[in-house]
Amino acid sequence: MAGKETLKLVANNKKAFHDYFIDETYEAGIALHGTEVKSLRMGKCSIKESFIRIENGEVFVYGMHISPYEKGNIFNKDPLRVKKLLMHKAEINKLTGKIKEKGYTLVPLQVYFKQGKAKVEVGLARGKKLYDKREDIAKKDQRREMERDFKVKNI
């Protein structure tokens, strides 16, 4: 089973692709507590309003909401607590250099399980202007129209 990688998607951040140009993506592990992992396995996670910061050479995700586990009682942690991301030192240094450039930020793109471990896909992103967003919406509408026309012709 060396060649097979099983990915179980938990949360996706579609808003990030709408608001940012994603230049590069990185994979990072998440430091979690026991009941948080159980809640993640049940799919109780939201990363819509979350963002990532690098502080003192460590990477943290803010605003990532993991709902409390129903059977977790006193062991449940705060759903919005700051979670540490696990990355290689070289990657962190590279990202730190990129973020210092104007207009770059880090956003979580998706949360998933890979070979039983919780992972976050981190995107190095540049903010879109309003006209960029309008342009993307126009392209999407145009593609949808073309697909509709193609579908009608093939029936």
Side-chain angles (χ1 to χ4, degrees), residues 48-60:
K48 279 187 177 67
E49 299 297 322
S50 56
F51 59 95
I52 296 171
R53 280 199 182 139
I54 299 176
E55 298 167 357
N56 303 326
E58 294 181 325
V59 186
F60 296 96

Side-chain angles (χ1 to χ4, degrees), residues 11-29:
N12 202 351
N13 192 355
K14 293 178 184 173
K15 189 177 178 209
F17 291 98
H18 183 263
D19 292 342
Y20 301 100
F21 292 113
I22 307 300
D23 289 349
E24 296 177 41
T25 59
Y26 298 90
E27 186 177 73

Side-chain angles (χ1 to χ4, degrees), residues 28-31 51-62 81-97 99-100 106 122:
I30 319 171
F51 59 95
I52 296 171
R53 280 199 182 139
I54 299 176
E55 298 167 357
N56 303 326
E58 294 181 325
V59 186
F60 296 96
V61 62
Y62 292 82
R81 81 177 177 87
V82 178
K83 293 153 192 73
K84 185 176 178 180
L85 297 182
L86 310 170
M87 295 178 82
H88 291 285
K89 198 69 170 171
E91 286 180 331
I92 294 172
N93 291 339
K94 184 179 177 186
L95 287 174
T96 304
I99 288 175
K100 287 193 171 133
L106 290 175
V122 176

Side-chain angles (χ1 to χ4, degrees), residues 20 29 46 51 59 78 88 102 109 112 116 118 131 139 141 155:
Y20 301 100
S46 173
F51 59 95
V59 186
D78 176 32
H88 291 285
K102 189 174 180 279
L109 300 176
Y112 54 91
Y131 58 84
K139 283 180 185 174
D141 288 344
I155 291 179

Side-chain angles (χ1 to χ4, degrees), residues 2-155:
K4 278 193 176 178
E5 284 188 4
T6 55
L7 292 178
K8 180 185 177 251
L9 188 66
V10 177
N12 202 351
N13 192 355
K14 293 178 184 173
K15 189 177 178 209
F17 291 98
H18 183 263
D19 292 342
Y20 301 100
F21 292 113
I22 307 300
D23 289 349
E24 296 177 41
T25 59
Y26 298 90
E27 186 177 73
I30 319 171
L32 296 171
H33 293 282
T35 55
E36 289 178 323
V37 177
K38 290 181 177 189
S39 190
L40 263 185
R41 288 199 189 280
M42 293 172 61
K44 309 276 189 193
C45 178
S46 173
I47 55 172
K48 279 187 177 67
E49 299 297 322
S50 56
F51 59 95
I52 296 171
R53 280 199 182 139
I54 299 176
E55 298 167 357
N56 303 326
E58 294 181 325
V59 186
F60 296 96
V61 62
Y62 292 82
M64 180 177 167
H65 187 279
I66 298 178
S67 299
Y69 183 58
E70 286 106 42
K71 301 177 183 87
N73 58 38
I74 61 166
F75 299 109
N76 280 333
K77 299 288 181 191
D78 176 32
L80 286 172
R81 81 177 177 87
V82 178
K83 293 153 192 73
K84 185 176 178 180
L85 297 182
L86 310 170
M87 295 178 82
H88 291 285
K89 198 69 170 171
E91 286 180 331
I92 294 172
N93 291 339
K94 184 179 177 186
L95 287 174
T96 304
K98 288 277 192 178
I99 288 175
K100 287 193 171 133
E101 292 178 29
K102 189 174 180 279
Y104 276 105
T105 187
L106 290 175
V107 290
L109 300 176
Q110 59 185 7
V111 178
Y112 54 91
F113 280 97
K114 182 178 178 183
Q115 296 173 344
K117 293 175 177 65
K119 303 280 185 181
V120 175
E121 187 177 43
V122 176
L124 182 66
R126 284 180 293 125
K128 283 186 181 178
K129 303 279 189 264
L130 184 61
Y131 58 84
D132 290 326
K133 292 179 189 177
R134 287 184 183 146
E135 196 176 292
D136 283 352
I137 291 169
K139 283 180 185 174
K140 239 184 252 181
D141 288 344
Q142 195 175 27
R143 192 180 75 236
R144 200 175 297 128
E145 286 292 327
M146 283 176 34
E147 287 173 359
R148 193 176 297 132
D149 292 344
F150 184 72
K151 196 176 188 180
V152 170
K153 289 177 186 175
N154 285 344
I155 291 179

